[in-house]
Amino acid sequence: MTVSRYILVCAGCLAVAAAAAQRPAEAIDFSGVYRPAGLAVQPCGSNEWLRRSFETDKFCLGSDEGFPFSDAGLAAWQEYSPIEDPVLRCIESFPRSAMRGRPLRITLGEEITEIAYWFSNQWQTREVHMNGSPAPADLEHTDFGYSTGRWTGDTLIVETTHTNGGPMFNDHKQSSPEARYTERYWVAPDGRNLLMDIAIDDPIYYTTPFLVNRQEWLSAPDRPLSETECTPSSIWAERDDDADE
């Protein structure tokens, strides 16, 4: 390929990426604050949109039904020690942060879209790069990873890589740092609430991609936010004290 042709091809790629980043006319601006309506957790939950109770939905607790574990993934789950759970240190990483029943805030933008979760008396914010630029080659893995976004019709598609991996559910089913997540967000038929699902493609811990969560969010612009701050477990406080000695 000649240099001039390469430049033209790259220019075409940028034009496509820019077009995908722009919110199409048919897409409603669903920027705002939402609260979860309940969970229909996949794959052990129902495939239908249901408003289920947080008190009765146990996040697939203890069941591996529908999880296409690899040998490594099954071992990671079975051998995981609950006291290593980052939640005990007040750390919630993606995708778990999106499935814990926290208030959600979305701010749509042309260059950056923000997706935030209210936790420990503050918004924990993910930045979604809407220009289609890939993650830098030397990018480190983080709790929220690196996200790019695009529009397909009236649906926002967000792809995330470079997470730290770790527990996705309360019963500590794992994802690896090599996982790729695909989220979809679109307005519910009522024109007010928001629908979301999250799929994972993890070649280390699972043999095939699958849907890990399906969620309805209720518009709640005026709902008061909790002022409770997370306190690290005494187990971790003791470990920190020992490390300082």
Side-chain angles (χ1 to χ4, degrees):
M1 180 183 293
T2 65
V3 173
S4 59
R5 185 178 178 187
Y6 176 80
I7 293 173
L8 289 174
V9 169
C10 287
C13 292
L14 292 174
V16 170
Q22 296 176 354
R23 181 165 51 88
E26 66 268 27
I28 298 173
D29 185 349
F30 51 74
S31 298
V33 176
Y34 299 84
R35 63 180 178 87
L39 298 180
V41 177
Q42 297 291 329
C44 63
S46 169
N47 286 317
E48 301 299 326
W49 290 102
L50 298 174
R51 295 184 182 180
R52 299 173 66 186
S53 168
F54 286 108
E55 286 70 33
T56 59
D57 195 315
K58 302 302 181 183
F59 293 83
C60 312
L61 189 59
S63 169
D64 62 356
E65 178 185 356
F67 284 80
F69 281 116
S70 66
D71 291 342
L74 184 60
W77 175 44
Q78 294 177 337
E79 297 170 4
Y80 190 81
S81 173
I83 66 171
E84 300 298 331
D85 193 334
V87 169
L88 299 179
R89 289 175 286 156
C90 299
I91 297 174
E92 288 191 351
S93 58
F94 182 80
R96 199 177 186 187
S97 55
M99 303 190 291
R100 293 271 288 173
R102 312 297 187 194
L104 169 74
R105 185 186 68 191
I106 291 186
T107 307
L108 299 178
E110 293 185 4
E111 295 294 327
I112 297 290
T113 284
E114 293 185 347
I115 302 176
Y117 314 99
W118 183 257
F119 175 58
S120 193
N121 206 26
Q122 63 181 323
W123 288 108
Q124 296 189 337
T125 304
R126 300 166 54 202
E127 287 192 347
V128 180
H129 301 266
M130 300 298 295
N131 59 7
S133 59
D138 58 349
L139 186 68
E140 295 183 356
H141 289 241
T142 63
D143 290 329
F144 284 162
Y146 183 88
S147 299
T148 59
R150 68 182 188 278
W151 289 94
T152 299
D154 59 358
T155 300
L156 174 63
I157 310 293
V158 179
E159 293 188 347
T160 300
T161 59
H162 291 78
T163 62
N164 286 329
M168 294 190 294
F169 298 93
N170 286 359
D171 68 348
H172 305 123
K173 292 183 178 71
Q174 304 284 298
S175 63
S176 82
E178 299 304 312
R180 175 183 292 273
Y181 305 93
T182 301
E183 301 158 79
R184 299 189 305 147
Y185 296 87
W186 68 103
V187 176
D190 63 10
R192 184 167 180 264
N193 297 325
L194 190 65
L195 302 178
M196 175 202 78
D197 61 33
I198 305 173
I200 181 175
D201 183 358
D202 185 340
I204 307 301
Y205 283 171
Y206 300 98
T207 59
T208 188
F210 65 101
L211 194 65
V212 295
N213 182 256
R214 177 172 280 173
Q215 175 78 52
E216 181 176 5
W217 298 88
L218 306 183
S219 179
D222 302 319
R223 186 181 179 89
L225 298 171
S226 169
E227 297 183 359
T228 302
E229 292 191 14
C230 181
T231 302
S233 164
S234 59
I235 296 174
W236 284 100
E238 292 172 3
R239 289 188 177 192
D240 291 341
D241 290 342
D242 292 342
D244 292 337
E245 293 179 358

